[in-house]
Amino acid sequence: MPKPPFASKSGGSATVVIGNKSIELPISRGTIGPDVVDVRKLYSDGDVFTYDPGFTSTASCESAITYIDGDEGVLLYRGYPIEQLAEHSDFIEVCYLLLHGDLPSADQLKTFRNAITRHTMVHEQISMFFRGFRRDAHPMAVMCGVVGALSAFYHDSTDINDPMQRTIASHRMIAKMPTIAAMAYKYSIGQPFIYPQNNLNYSENFLRMCFAVPAEEHKSNPVLARALDRIFILHADHEQNASTSTVRLAGSSGANPFACIAAGIACLWGPAHGGANEAALKMLEEIGHVSRIPEYVARAKDKNSGFRLMGFGHRVYKNYDPRAKVMQQTCHEVLDELGIRNDPLLQVAMELEKIALNDPYFVEKKLYPNIDFYSGITLKALGFPTSMFTALFALARTVGWIAQWAEMIEDPSQKIGRPRQLYVGAPKRDYVPVHKR
Ligand code: SDX
């Protein structure tokens, strides 16, 4: 994959005074967004670490893939606004864009689409893995296990120093995630696995693998397939979020791409991250009726309750998540296509959003609906069980993970990630024999 055409440039320097030491730290400037203070020599020159739990003010890398402006509610994939891509592009074209840095020509797109299509099947032995799980295993547990095992099958694309093998591994991951996710779903409901069909597009293929049965013809709904394709576009990448940072950290040790993606899946599962779509729908179901919204809003504002409005708030977006707007439109489109006029969950969601957006607590803390707020309602309407929601997020985010992983591998300044700490434990002390304690 070509190096991005852009690079950082000097933005002057910052001076840090520690005791009687004055340390000049270079400032780097990117294309858009905040400058960074390069602290790489702070420890060697100043004998101190920076301290930033949760990395709220830390740039972990240079990247040319995705840009987010949290205050303006902006999300760009390789410079293209998410709203334009969601309207005009499709998921496979967005995969090409994220991997290669530019929109493809018609020939490039045709070649890429064909390359992905021809990797959609998994090794037949992989179907044996599913038999080891209980039928009620959470699909994310299955995804972690099966994706992690892929490196046991595809040895010919695990050499991270071979660009061709990196490309094949990228294509395999993008192509096989829908097949594996669909197999996890079929296994959970006791139905036979459905093989991919090469004459279908990415989202139609996935819907068929999930909802077709051998006993009858499956008729795909192009409106629903297009809606799902758009949902995949919205979830494809999101800068250095927790799961992407996990993939980068795992990859920095030289681990193979399949193992790195499995690490990303594990991190995404958390309810504070990709698991929020499942948690948000469960929350809406628990609220059940608009009359109970004030009770839940009060709980969310009560520090001692430990309850948060799932699908609200974001580390970066302190404005409306631009994906949530498109997600809301897609939700209405799907419900209209399915003739679900007055979905009670949608009524609760829209009323909850209205109340929260006018409540001083949420306004002051800049808590807005994020992508997970409306995705659950949409995925439920498409026929997916709640337990599959995060698996679909992982399916879509795989291209972002693999693009970020490849960018890291190709970054000449890349080295193994190894943060330090502020030690607050016991000072050095001698061992005390048990009879003297
Ligand atoms: C994703 O990073 C990404 O890009 C992630 C993602 C992606 O595409 O990869 O966008 C996908 O993970 C979206 C977020 C999904 N998670 C949720 O919807 C779970 C609910 N939201 C939160 O738990 C929370 O908002 C986070 C985790 C998303 C962000 O948390 P931060 O940035 O660490 O903020 P915080 O926890 O420090 O909260 C700031 C304040 C706190 O109050 P104070 O301590 O300042 O008094 O806001 C409060 C929080 O208590 N708060 C909430 C809240 N979210 C934050 N209060 C009620 N309900 C909420 N949802």
Side-chain angles (χ1 to χ4, degrees), residues 316-332:
V316 177
Y317 290 123
K318 300 310 173 191
N319 196 325
Y320 215 100
D321 181 337
R323 303 168 298 176
K325 285 202 178 91
V326 182
M327 197 67 245
Q328 190 189 52
Q329 292 157 10
T330 304
C331 184
H332 284 291

Side-chain angles (χ1 to χ4, degrees), residues 238 272 303 308-309 311-312 314-315 323 365 370 397:
H238 212 237
K303 279 272 161 289
R308 287 188 166 185
L309 287 186
F312 262 80
H314 199 277
R315 170 60 58 76
R323 303 168 298 176
K365 293 182 188 296
N370 59 49
R397 184 53 58 87

Side-chain angles (χ1 to χ4, degrees), residues 105-124:
S105 67
D107 284 348
Q108 287 169 328
L109 182 56
K110 185 167 175 247
T111 304
F112 182 72
R113 210 184 286 280
N114 185 50
I116 299 301
T117 300
R118 309 209 67 79
H119 280 292
T120 48
M121 286 179 70
V122 293
H123 190 292
E124 196 60 19

